[in-house]
Amino acid sequence: MKKSVLFFAALVCMMMHSVSSFAGDRIIPAEQLPAAAKTFIQKTFPGQTVSYATIDFDGRNTYEVCLSNGVEVDFNKNGVWDKVDCNYSAVPASLVPTNIANYVKTHFAGAKVVKIDKERHGYDVELSNDLELKFNKQGQLMNIDD
């Protein structure tokens, strides 16, 4: 009995934490995105419209945007992209640093970058063959996760 009460209490705490972690997200009109984010979307994904945009009041005021073609883009508070997830399509070549693009082309012929994420250490890249590659800021491969 004591174990089930403890389990139930832990479950309630986890659910409350989950709900509170989403409390900071708010849907906003595309017009409220920073100018840099709107310009990025227009230049990088011409012809696409914003399906929805959210702002996360997590102290960093980050934005998440989903485009009409299903591409998801995360922006920092200044409107600079942090992550681009094209799902099954290739990330625009202009977003992939040259060293990383060359490495992928040389070592994974036929694979395309479908997701790129700027991280503190460098870049996390997901390929169409489901491999995840981690590169440092200089574009040198640091780790492969399959």
Side-chain angles (χ1 to χ4, degrees):
M1 178 69 177
K2 194 174 186 180
K3 285 183 180 181
S4 63
V5 170
L6 193 57
F7 173 77
F8 181 75
L11 183 64
V12 169
C13 287
M14 288 187 327
M15 288 175 26
M16 289 178 62
H17 176 72
S18 295
V19 169
S20 68
S21 67
F22 291 111
D25 288 352
R26 187 182 77 196
I27 294 178
I28 60 169
E31 297 79 34
Q32 290 183 8
L33 289 169
K38 291 188 277 190
T39 300
F40 174 85
I41 292 167
Q42 290 170 350
K43 287 184 177 180
T44 311
F45 300 100
Q48 298 301 315
T49 58
V50 174
S51 293
Y52 71 85
T54 62
I55 184 170
D56 187 4
F57 295 106
D58 61 354
R60 297 178 297 163
N61 292 353
T62 56
Y63 299 89
E64 181 179 310
V65 175
C66 183
L67 303 179
S68 54
N69 62 356
V71 170
E72 296 176 14
V73 185
D74 291 353
F75 297 96
N76 68 16
K77 66 181 178 182
N78 299 318
V80 177
W81 72 272
D82 284 330
K83 178 172 67 172
V84 176
D85 186 351
C86 293
N87 299 307
Y88 303 104
S89 302
V91 168
S94 62
L95 302 181
V96 182
T98 305
N99 291 354
I100 294 173
N102 289 339
Y103 186 91
V104 171
K105 185 178 179 180
T106 301
H107 294 90
F108 301 101
K112 55 190 171 187
V113 175
V114 295
K115 180 179 177 183
I116 186 164
D117 191 358
K118 292 181 194 173
E119 294 289 337
R120 180 177 247 153
H121 62 79
Y123 293 89
D124 287 350
V125 172
E126 186 175 317
L127 303 180
S128 55
N129 61 6
D130 289 330
L131 285 178
E132 293 180 26
L133 312 176
K134 292 185 186 295
F135 294 89
N136 64 17
K137 291 180 181 182
Q138 292 75 37
Q140 299 167 322
L141 183 68
M142 304 305 289
N143 191 15
I144 297 179
D145 189 14
D146 55 354

